[in-house]
Amino acid sequence: METKKKNKNNISIRFNVLFFFVFILFSVLVIRLGFVQIVYGESFRREVERTEDVIVKNPMPRGEIVDRNGKIIVDNTPQKAITYTRQQDTSTKKLLDTARKLAAYIEKDTKKVTDREKRDFWILKNPERAAKKVSKKEKRLVETKKMSDKDLYKRQLDRITAEELGELTPADLEVLAIYREMTSGYALTTQFIKNKNVTDKEFAIVSENLDDLPGVDTTIDWDRKNKFGNTLSSVLGAVTSTEEGLPKEEADKFVAMGYGRNERVGKSYLEMQYEDVLSGKRERVQNVTYKGTTIKSNTVSKGQRGNDLVLTVDMDLQQKVEKIVSDELVKTKRAYGDTPFLDRAYVVLMEPYSGEIRAIAGKRYVRDKKTGNYEIQDDALGTFTTSYTMGSVVKGATVLTGYQTGVIAPGNYEVDEPIVLKKTPIKKSYRTFGNISDLEALKVSSNVYMFKTAMKIGGTHYVPNGTLNLKPGTFSVMRNTFAQFGLGVKTGIDLPNETSGVKNSDTTPGLALDLAIGQNDTYTPLQLVQYVSAIGNGGNRVKPHLVKQIRQPAEKKGELGPVLSEVEPVVLNRLDMKQEWVERIQEGYRMVMQEQGGTGYSTFGGKDYKPAGKTGTAQAFYDGPDRKKYGKEPPPTWNITLIGYAPYKNPEIAMAVVVPWAYQSNDNGMNKNIGSKVMDAYFDLKKEHEGGKTEDKQAETNDASEAD
């Protein structure tokens, strides 16, 4: 009895002890919860509610490029696109899952998938097999830091066999192609999965399944397009693709300016030169994220497409000029057997007072390496990136140099006769003219008159069978004067990569005579038109430019927006010469084209627009794309050129025509054929435009009369 009572007491004590400990634990828990709530409650609440704001800048379409008459040259063509925006903490598994789902809805080109990407993808698909590609010993080396994870992974990649890579099916590769696009950019930056050739069906089915495709969206992208095909294409330049993104060498600069690394930018010529104008104002979107997931997006500022460039070029004229050059190239190559090296021709038309370029054309006649057929390619860039010996067109500058140095005066006569010097081949004009004046020398293109002028500049006179000793600095004197016109110096055109030509470093005295007739240094076609403009406008070297205005985007398609800035004419320098001297050369150039016996009269005599100018022929050596075929000595050939302006009084247009390597022995007159047709096209088009304006004005008058 006592034993049972004692046992009951023991149990009661144990329960009391247990309840006591439970009470203590609950008390501690209550105190801890109270402490956490009171002391840390606010911090934990803020942590639960904590979000991050990330500002994303979305690019907008580029501005348009239009001609002087408002015709759109380069525009943005809308195209359907499928995009992906990766969240900050999206796992590889989720990315692959989304890629697989998307692959079921669209066709994705797999050509750009690299071997390395295939190997990476094989490892993702086969983690257990990939793990067996490295030994335990190699893993221990990583653990002991005797080998890096990077090196271990490389060994895994290298040990994947061709047969194992062959296990990847076309469907796998399509998933991989989508996956590589999804991972190619930063988090919260939109990537294009497909923005070319998206079908209506693909666009619709992806749009319908967006809820099942986290991060995927459908939108309208743009493609840059030249409305005139290849016309002026090389000068207009190009824009990078979404695959190219920012140019590597300038990526950091663009990123600092707020560009995304996959954003498209101008990569050459006008598109590159005016990137800051054509690039749109980026839309700023605030993404509110929580734990790496976007929960809300707000547009901070709306974007706007880029500003528009209005060019000085008249596209109607540009097309006509390009056709003339192309047709003459093809016709001459087919009609003449003496043109083995002829493969290009250039034309520049410019307003002589303002420097506005009305047309800038270059064409090359080349054989397609794949088909073997000949085709015409655009080479307008060659007008300012390539240079050639230009021949007699520089003789006006030579005569003016003679005036300026005081060695000859207007009206000076020289005897045109063969120049015979010791140990030197005879130098002469294409025929002997006898005693001629400076004007006659320009009219008939006397070489000897220019030779004797160069001798006088060099401080000597011609002595038959004598030696030629020129004073030091003769070349510099001539080149410095030529530079006043723009010959041998950059013109300042608003495009990159302009060349200044090549100055021959050899100062053998006889080469000064060659310099005087344009057969020593090389110049660009653009330099020629700047040079003849300086003569035509009375002595101002004007800066050529292709951009006329910068305008804001218009509200309606086909209209021009408000003018932001206008390019004013820039006079780079005034010729350091008397006005009557320049007028003397103007008269000589008029005689070249409008008087019988002038070298341009047979082509330009009788033209109602009364042109002035100068023809040119330069003995040269072939230096084209096939130069290596001919060994150490390049084959001799002839360049033919033409400069001019019209009308000869108060000219409104200046022209330069350059045909390098035109023939080897028999002049085909291609320079004059091109020049005549180009000038005719300009003035014919002018009449058409003026006729249209007259009709419009008459229509306005009739409307007003009806209103009255």
Side-chain angles (χ1 to χ4, degrees):
M1 197 72 179
E2 287 182 4
T3 302
K4 288 182 180 181
K5 190 175 181 181
K6 189 179 284 188
N7 287 338
K8 285 182 180 180
N9 288 336
N10 288 338
I11 292 171
S12 177
I13 291 171
R14 288 172 184 168
F15 270 113
N16 288 335
V17 170
L18 177 61
F19 285 137
F20 177 75
F21 275 113
V22 170
F23 171 77
I24 294 296
L25 288 173
F26 270 106
S27 298
V28 170
L29 181 61
V30 169
I31 293 170
R32 180 59 182 169
L33 287 173
F35 178 78
V36 167
Q37 185 174 357
I38 295 169
V39 178
Y40 295 112
E42 185 63 22
S43 297
F44 285 132
R45 186 185 65 79
R46 286 197 300 268
E47 179 66 22
V48 169
E49 295 177 355
R50 184 172 66 85
T51 59
E52 293 183 3
D53 293 344
V54 180
I55 299 294
V56 177
K57 298 176 182 178
N58 294 326
M60 301 298 290
R62 294 174 74 79
E64 297 173 348
I65 301 177
V66 304
D67 82 342
R68 65 185 300 111
N69 301 312
K71 288 186 177 180
I72 297 175
I73 305 172
V74 180
D75 195 7
N76 305 305
T77 303
Q79 56 186 13
K80 300 180 185 68
I82 297 168
T83 66
Y84 179 76
T85 306
R86 180 163 54 94
Q87 301 301 311
Q88 288 179 320
D89 297 324
T90 305
S91 66
T92 299
K93 183 178 180 302
K94 288 183 179 179
L95 284 169
L96 283 172
D97 183 52
T98 302
R100 288 190 183 96
K101 291 178 181 177
L102 190 55
Y105 301 137
I106 68 172
E107 289 186 7
K108 178 66 177 174
D109 188 2
T110 62
K111 291 178 182 177
K112 294 181 181 178
V113 174
T114 66
D115 180 76
R116 167 61 190 264
E117 288 168 337
K118 290 178 182 179
R119 292 175 183 273
D120 288 330
F121 192 66
W122 188 91
I123 289 177
L124 287 175
K125 280 200 70 180
N126 303 279
E128 293 180 1
R129 291 167 65 188
K132 295 177 181 178
K133 294 286 182 183
V134 292
S135 65
K136 292 181 179 179
K137 182 180 179 181
E138 288 170 323
K139 292 177 182 178
R140 282 196 296 272
L141 289 174
V142 173
E143 292 171 0
T144 57
K145 297 185 178 180
K146 293 180 180 179
M147 180 190 294
S148 66
D149 289 320
K150 184 178 179 181
D151 289 336
L152 184 67
Y153 185 68
K154 186 178 183 302
R155 293 189 183 189
Q156 278 182 299
L157 293 172
D158 292 342
R159 290 167 184 171
I160 299 172
T161 65
E163 290 76 14
E164 288 172 327
L165 279 183
E167 296 170 4
L168 296 177
T169 66
D172 289 331
L173 294 179
E174 196 169 32
V175 172
L176 172 55
I178 294 172
Y179 174 79
R180 72 188 290 275
E181 300 292 353
M182 296 169 74
T183 58
S184 62
Y186 297 113
L188 300 176
T189 300
T190 299
Q191 303 293 124
F192 286 104
I193 302 301
K194 186 176 182 180
N195 62 346
K196 292 186 185 299
N197 303 316
V198 176
T199 66
D200 292 340
K201 182 179 179 181
E202 288 175 333
F203 194 80
I205 196 169
V206 171
S207 298
E208 291 170 2
N209 290 276
L210 291 179
D211 290 342
D212 195 37
L213 298 166
V216 176
D217 201 359
T218 52
T219 185
I220 300 297
D221 188 30
W222 53 269
D223 188 28
R224 204 71 166 151
K225 185 175 182 180
N226 183 345
K227 299 283 188 179
F228 291 84
N230 289 324
T231 301
L232 205 62
S233 59
S234 61
V235 166
L236 293 170
V239 175
T240 60
S241 64
T242 51
E243 290 83 4
E244 291 174 297
L246 301 180
K248 291 182 180 179
E249 62 276 9
E250 295 186 295
D252 291 340
K253 180 189 78 172
F254 279 116
V255 169
M257 294 166 60
Y259 285 74
R261 289 193 177 271
N262 67 324
E263 195 167 338
R264 285 167 286 184
V265 296
K267 64 177 179 179
S268 60
Y269 295 97
L270 274 177
E271 290 277 16
M272 179 180 74
Q273 188 78 358
Y274 288 91
E275 170 63 28
D276 59 332
V277 173
L278 294 167
S279 177
K281 178 184 177 184
R282 292 160 188 76
E283 179 185 58
R284 292 170 57 87
V285 177
Q286 180 188 45
N287 288 321
V288 182
T289 66
Y290 171 62
K291 292 186 177 181
T293 301
T294 300
I295 57 175
K296 185 169 63 174
S297 293
N298 301 315
T299 300
V300 177
S301 61
K302 291 184 177 181
Q304 184 182 52
R305 76 168 177 85
N307 293 319
D308 298 333
L309 287 185
V310 179
L311 303 188
T312 61
V313 171
D314 181 332
M315 287 304 284
D316 290 338
L317 179 62
Q318 178 73 30
Q319 286 183 298
K320 288 179 181 292
V321 171
E322 289 195 13
K323 187 175 188 307
I324 290 167
V325 176
S326 299
D327 289 349
E328 287 297 318
L329 259 177
V330 174
K331 184 182 77 173
T332 306
K333 288 291 289 184
R334 291 175 178 173
Y336 293 85
D338 192 29
T339 60
F341 306 121
L342 172 62
D343 70 342
R344 66 193 68 188
Y346 303 102
V347 173
V348 184
L349 290 176
M350 185 174 87
E351 292 183 2
Y353 291 96
S354 68
E356 292 188 5
I357 293 175
R358 289 296 193 92
I360 182 168
K363 294 295 177 182
R364 289 198 185 190
Y365 185 74
V366 298
R367 186 192 292 271
D368 186 278
K369 292 181 179 179
K370 293 182 179 179
T371 65
N373 298 325
Y374 280 96
E375 62 182 19
I376 296 293
Q377 293 181 353
D378 182 70
D379 188 31
L381 295 180
T383 58
F384 59 91
T385 62
T386 62
S387 63
Y388 309 91
T389 50
M390 298 300 191
S392 300
V393 290
V394 310
K395 288 177 178 176
T398 299
V399 173
L400 280 166
T401 304
Y403 295 161
Q404 188 181 44
T405 55
V407 300
I408 62 172
N412 181 78
Y413 277 77
E414 296 288 350
V415 177
D416 186 299
E417 59 187 331
I419 301 294
V420 182
L421 299 169
K422 283 184 179 180
K423 299 180 181 180
T424 302
I426 295 175
K427 301 176 82 69
K428 60 183 181 178
S429 303
Y430 62 92
R431 73 178 176 86
T432 301
F433 294 104
N435 199 31
I436 57 173
S437 70
D438 49 350
L439 292 182
E440 286 293 323
L442 291 173
K443 175 182 173 180
V444 301
S445 199
S446 167
N447 286 344
V448 174
Y449 193 99
M450 306 304 152
F451 293 154
K452 291 186 175 181
T453 299
M455 290 179 192
K456 291 180 179 180
I457 294 169
T460 189
H461 290 77
Y462 170 59
V463 177
N465 296 307
T467 57
L468 187 61
N469 296 310
L470 302 180
K471 63 185 179 182
T474 299
F475 285 90
S476 295
V477 169
M478 296 178 68
R479 284 171 174 151
N480 289 341
T481 306
F482 281 22
Q484 290 188 48
F485 299 95
L487 296 174
V489 294
K490 292 183 179 181
T491 66
I493 188 173
D494 50 344
L495 286 170
N497 302 328
E498 181 184 11
T499 181
S500 59
V502 178
K503 294 181 177 66
N504 189 349
S505 59
D506 189 347
T507 56
T508 301
L511 293 178
L513 308 191
D514 292 339
L515 181 62
I517 63 169
Q519 295 194 164
N520 191 25
D521 292 353
T522 67
Y523 312 115
T524 68
L526 189 62
Q527 287 173 350
L528 286 193
V529 81
Q530 188 180 55
Y531 151 62
V532 76
S533 293
I535 291 174
N537 67 30
N540 290 326
R541 183 168 77 100
V542 294
K543 181 179 180 180
H545 58 99
L546 272 167
V547 173
K548 185 178 178 69
Q549 295 173 333
I550 296 173
R551 289 177 175 261
Q552 289 180 342
E555 293 183 3
K556 293 182 179 179
K557 192 73 174 175
E559 294 182 353
L560 292 176
V563 176
L564 287 174
S565 64
E566 188 147 5
V567 179
E568 299 293 337
V570 175
V571 176
L572 297 173
N573 61 268
R574 174 78 184 168
L575 299 182
D576 184 20
M577 298 170 185
K578 293 180 180 179
Q579 188 64 34
E580 57 263 34
W581 296 348
V582 178
E583 291 172 358
R584 184 81 175 172
I585 304 303
Q586 290 175 344
E587 175 60 14
Y589 279 7
R590 184 198 66 78
M591 293 167 62
V592 168
M593 290 190 165
Q594 295 189 44
E595 290 191 5
Q596 286 193 5
T599 56
Y601 179 77
S602 62
T603 306
F604 290 93
K607 297 285 188 183
D608 58 4
Y609 45 79
K610 302 297 181 184
K614 184 74 186 74
T615 60
T617 305
Q619 192 170 7
F621 293 96
Y622 176 68
D623 192 29
D626 294 329
R627 168 65 184 85
K628 291 181 180 180
K629 293 180 181 179
Y630 300 96
K632 187 176 180 180
E633 293 294 329
T637 184
W638 295 84
N639 300 337
I640 51 178
T641 56
L642 175 71
I643 57 173
Y645 51 85
Y648 75 92
K649 288 185 177 179
N650 300 315
E652 59 186 72
I653 197 70
M655 173 184 68
V657 179
V658 178
V659 186
W661 319 313
Y663 58 88
Q664 286 193 285
S665 58
N666 298 309
D667 189 352
N668 53 46
M670 188 173 161
N671 55 335
K672 288 180 276 190
N673 293 337
I674 290 176
S676 174
K677 291 178 180 179
V678 164
M679 276 290 197
D680 290 350
Y682 171 81
F683 284 101
D684 288 345
L685 195 60
K686 179 188 175 186
K687 289 177 183 177
E688 290 179 22
H689 286 171
E690 288 176 347
K693 289 178 182 177
T694 302
E695 292 175 6
D696 291 343
K697 193 170 184 179
Q698 184 62 48
E700 289 175 8
T701 303
N702 294 339
D703 290 343
S705 299
E706 291 175 8
D708 291 342

